[in-house]
């Protein structure tokens, strides 16, 4: 609960990435909603980390999000989404 709170209130992108990684390690699919939200609406470094985590979820909704991100304006987002779809 504390890590989720930190993830939602901090504006420090590096801290958000570290918290996201730790939360995903601890909770996996149980935080899928938060991860998917971060993939589309957070600072770029947080978005990229979230996109990599979405690739590990391997569910139908995650694949749909990743495919949508392939048409994103930001090249780094597109490349990260493509790699996540390929399992990388």
């Amino acid at each position: 609960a504390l890590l989720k709170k930190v993830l939602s209130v901090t504006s420090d992108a590096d801290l958000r990435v570290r918290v996201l990684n730790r939360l995903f390690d601890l909770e996996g699919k149980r935080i899928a909603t938060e991860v998917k939200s971060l993939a589309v609406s957070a600072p770029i470094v947080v978005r990229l980390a979230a996109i990599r985590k979405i690739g590990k979820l391997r569910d139908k909704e995650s694949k749909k999000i990743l495919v949508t991100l392939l048409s994103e304006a930001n090249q780094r987002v597109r490349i990260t989404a493509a790699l996540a779809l390929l399992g990388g």
Side-chain angles (χ1 to χ4, degrees):
L2 178 61
L3 288 176
K4 285 184 182 181
K5 181 72 171 173
V6 170
L7 188 62
S8 67
V9 298
T10 188
S11 60
D12 182 319
D14 292 330
L15 178 58
R16 288 178 84 182
V17 169
R18 289 194 309 270
V19 170
L20 170 65
N21 288 334
R22 185 68 178 140
L23 266 173
F24 195 85
D25 291 345
L26 293 171
E27 298 192 28
K29 291 184 179 188
R30 292 183 300 210
I31 64 157
T33 301
E34 290 92 340
V35 173
K36 291 170 184 174
S37 174
L38 290 171
V40 295
S41 65
I44 189 67
V45 294
V46 179
R47 288 185 72 194
L48 297 176
I51 292 166
R52 287 190 290 273
K53 296 302 179 191
I54 288 173
K56 294 177 187 261
L57 293 173
R58 298 283 179 215
D59 62 9
K60 190 180 281 189
E61 183 182 350
S62 297
K63 287 179 94 173
K64 184 177 177 182
I65 291 169
L66 292 172
V67 168
T68 301
L69 291 172
L70 293 175
S71 60
E72 174 78 26
N74 186 301
Q75 181 181 17
R76 291 171 60 195
V77 169
R78 291 192 312 268
I79 290 169
T80 304
L83 290 171
L85 279 168
L86 296 173

